Each structure stands twice: as C-alpha cells, then as structure tokens.
Amino acid sequence: MKLSKKDILGMKELSRDEVTLILDTAESFLEVSMRKIKKVPTLRGKTVINFFVEASTRTRTSFEIAGKRLSADTVNISASTSSLVKGETLTDTAKTLEAMNPDIIVIRHGAAGAPHMLARMIKQSVINAGDGAHEHPTQALLDMLTIRQEKGVIGGLTIAIIGDIAHSRVARSNIIGLTMMGARVTVCGPAMMIPRDIEKLGVHVSHHMEEAVSDADIIMMLRIQLERQNESFFPSDREYSRYYCLDRATIERAKPDVLVMHPGPINRGIEISPEIADGTQSLILKQVTNGVAVRMALLYLLAGGEE
Ligand code: CP
C-alpha cells in the first residue's frame, strides 16, 4: 500500500484510515529492529535528506536509523554546518536540495509552516519533523502506536496531557490525532500555558493536576518549552513543579493501571520525578523504540509502498 499523498505535514492533513494504515505498517516494521541483521532492501536506491535546523536527538537519530534499516541512502544536514549560516535562504536551500534529486526531505524548523512552504516549492516528498510550536506529527503517530500497543485501543481512552500546552507542537498534534481516533483528551497546566479557545479542538480543560489524572488511562507529560517563551510564565521551577510535577503522590490519585508518557527530552524533577520517569508505569523508552518503526513506515509509505 502507498499513502495517497506527497507529504506528511501534520495530523490535521491525515484521515483516520491513513493513521490506521501508518500504525499497522509501523507495527510490521517493529520486528526488523529486533533482528540480528537490522536491514531490509525495501528502499534501496532511494535518498532521504534529514534537514534539521533545530536541535534534536530522538527525531533526527530515529529518521536516520529508519532510513538505513530500509537501505535508503541517508544524508544529514544541520543548520550550523549548512550554508544557512552564510545567509542562504530556506527557499534557496530547498531549491539546492531539490536539484540533487532526493526522494524525501525530512525537515525540522523553528518557524511554524516551514515544512509546508518547502512542500509547495519542491517536487519531492516532505516530512515535518517538528515546526515551531505548530505540529510534530511523527511524534503523535509514535505516541498513538505506543498507546494502541499497551491498551489495545485508542478510541474510548481518556488521555491527560499536562504541562506547557501553549508552546507544545507535541500537544497540538496529539490533540488532533487522539480526538480523531476517538479518545477523550484533557489538557492541564497553568492558565498562562493553556491557549484560549482550546476547547474548540474538542478537549476538556483543567488547571488541577489531581483532577486531570483522576480518570486518565494515559498521562502524557510535557516539557516546558523555554526556547519558545519570550516572557516568564511562572515564578520559578520550584513553584511550577509544586503544582505540575508528576510524582508518586500525584500518580496515586490516578487509576492503578495508568501509564505515563513523555516525548522527551525530560526535565527531571520539574515536570516529572525521576522515580516516575524510570518507574514501571513509564513508557518513555518504548516511545523511543516505536519512533524508529513509525518513521520506517512513513518513509516506506511515501517512497516505496508500491514496490
Ligand atoms: N521528542 C522529540 O522530538 O525529541 P527530540 O527533540 O530529541 O527530537
């Protein structure tokens, strides 16, 4: 099967059936990463450029590993080692990369909409690996795969997303994806970190962590996006963690089988205590493992699905 679209720009552009196809395909690729020889010839002869203008550990590494495990040729470009530092524009960089005829360009950029602009300019497929505070669709897809594996379903579950909702592209993509798949989503955080009118996305809003976790099947914690804040939204880390850190006392207010997620990187002791991050209810490293499979699925469905 092949996705009937050129690009993966956001959860907003995906249908329920397309999400299910991506998750099913990712499920089938999980096994490749468990083999002694972790490589299949599926994308031999294809070229994937990972163009990361913003810092990343998980997304960039997993896209590179995903491409290599599918036998694609992968090339990594970061802002600091590209001609962006010499003043080249994104448009000129895009046209330059297009002229080398890759098959897929994966882009992370600090500006919301940069992947959409790139997708309009070039003929190759573009995957959004995170654009500003806008969307991070591949993170939401790997989160959904993890939830489906652990709970068997997504529809009907209650998911509490807690923290800096306003500046989080992970929150936005998950809200769109999870509500589309039939989950109930509660967002929780200080008033300054919850966008006005967020209820229009079909979520319930709470400012009290104990209330938000009380009926949750999954608690998804978020990092405070200091790099996207140009003013202080809370007096101190200590003050924030007093009300919004997931620790043993808070998790005891939740269902006994509640599971904990975090997209990473985590700020230990600020939004999540080390005991919970490393505990038996934590899915954080499973999310990382699933990230490779989801990215393999996307590269395959965009570049090689028919072959
Ligand atoms: N979750 C996530 O996007 O992590 P990185 O910034 O390390 O890629």
Side-chain angles (χ1 to χ4, degrees):
M1 278 203 82
K2 200 170 178 189
L3 275 173
S4 57
K5 46 175 33 87
K6 172 179 160 282
D7 311 295
I8 301 291
L9 299 176
M11 293 308 298
K12 219 169 47 188
E13 286 86 13
L14 291 174
S15 69
R16 230 182 125 103
D17 285 348
E18 286 170 333
V19 169
T20 304
L21 171 66
I22 295 165
L23 300 191
D24 290 347
T25 308
E27 198 97 52
S28 72
F29 277 126
L30 277 168
E31 176 266 330
V32 174
S33 295
M34 299 303 142
R35 292 183 194 175
K36 207 163 162 187
I37 308 290
K38 303 174 189 63
K39 215 173 184 60
V40 290
T42 318
L43 293 190
R44 200 162 46 200
K46 306 280 184 184
T47 304
V48 179
I49 297 181
N50 295 317
F51 178 33
F52 277 64
V53 183
E54 250 196 2
S56 166
T57 296
R58 290 150 202 79
T59 313
R60 192 170 98 156
T61 311
S62 62
F63 263 115
E64 185 176 359
I65 290 175
K68 288 192 154 85
R69 287 192 181 159
L70 292 170
S71 301
D73 296 311
T74 58
V75 179
N76 295 317
I77 309 172
S78 62
S80 61
T81 54
S82 76
S83 287
L84 288 173
V85 293
K86 300 177 197 163
E88 188 166 56
T89 63
L90 181 61
T91 303
D92 285 334
T93 305
K95 289 286 170 198
T96 303
L97 297 179
E98 181 185 37
M100 295 181 206
N101 205 21
D103 295 280
I104 298 180
I105 298 182
V106 178
I107 178 169
R108 169 170 288 192
H109 202 285
H116 305 68
M117 188 178 111
L118 189 66
R120 280 193 300 274
M121 277 189 306
I122 65 171
K123 59 180 183 293
Q124 291 89 359
S125 290
V126 173
I127 302 180
N128 180 0
D131 61 325
H134 181 221
E135 277 233 39
H136 193 349
T138 66
Q139 178 70 43
L141 288 163
L142 75 87
D143 289 341
M144 286 194 270
L145 177 64
T146 309
I147 293 169
R148 199 177 76 167
Q149 274 175 350
E150 292 296 317
K151 296 286 185 184
V153 290
I154 297 172
L157 295 180
T158 300
I159 321 276
I161 306 180
I162 300 174
D164 183 3
I165 309 293
H167 301 95
S168 173
R169 55 195 177 204
V170 175
R172 177 185 285 270
S173 288
N174 265 302
I175 289 168
I176 297 168
L178 290 167
T179 53
M180 178 169 67
M181 301 307 280
R184 287 182 296 274
V185 176
T186 297
V187 295
C188 173
M192 294 280 281
M193 290 183 175
I194 306 275
R196 233 180 315 168
D197 292 339
I198 194 159
E199 288 94 340
K200 287 186 181 156
L201 294 179
V203 301
H204 171 72
V205 176
S206 170
H207 298 296
H208 302 287
M209 208 167 157
E210 287 172 4
E211 177 192 73
V213 305
S214 63
D215 63 346
D217 299 293
I218 299 281
I219 303 172
M220 191 180 286
M221 298 305 298
L222 299 175
R223 181 174 65 88
I224 298 167
Q225 307 274 306
L226 288 173
E227 70 274 29
R228 293 188 219 294
Q229 297 177 8
N230 44 20
E231 56 182 301
S232 186
F233 284 81
F234 51 89
S236 66
D237 288 355
R238 226 168 88 180
E239 190 76 7
Y240 180 84
S241 64
R242 198 170 136 206
Y243 294 104
Y244 295 105
C245 180
L246 186 66
D247 56 14
R248 175 60 49 206
T250 313
I251 213 169
E252 277 172 5
R253 305 293 188 109
K255 293 180 184 174
D257 63 347
V258 73
L259 294 170
V260 177
M261 301 175 74
H262 192 307
I266 62 175
N267 292 310
R268 288 172 180 267
I270 297 180
E271 74 269 3
I272 189 165
S273 73
E275 183 193 9
I276 301 301
D278 304 328
T280 53
Q281 287 158 293
S282 170
L283 299 175
I284 295 172
L285 293 179
K286 188 156 208 171
Q287 290 171 262
V288 176
T289 301
N290 285 341
V292 175
V294 160
R295 286 154 185 145
M296 285 173 84
L298 291 171
L299 296 179
Y300 166 74
L301 289 167
L302 287 179
E306 283 173 336
E307 288 146 37

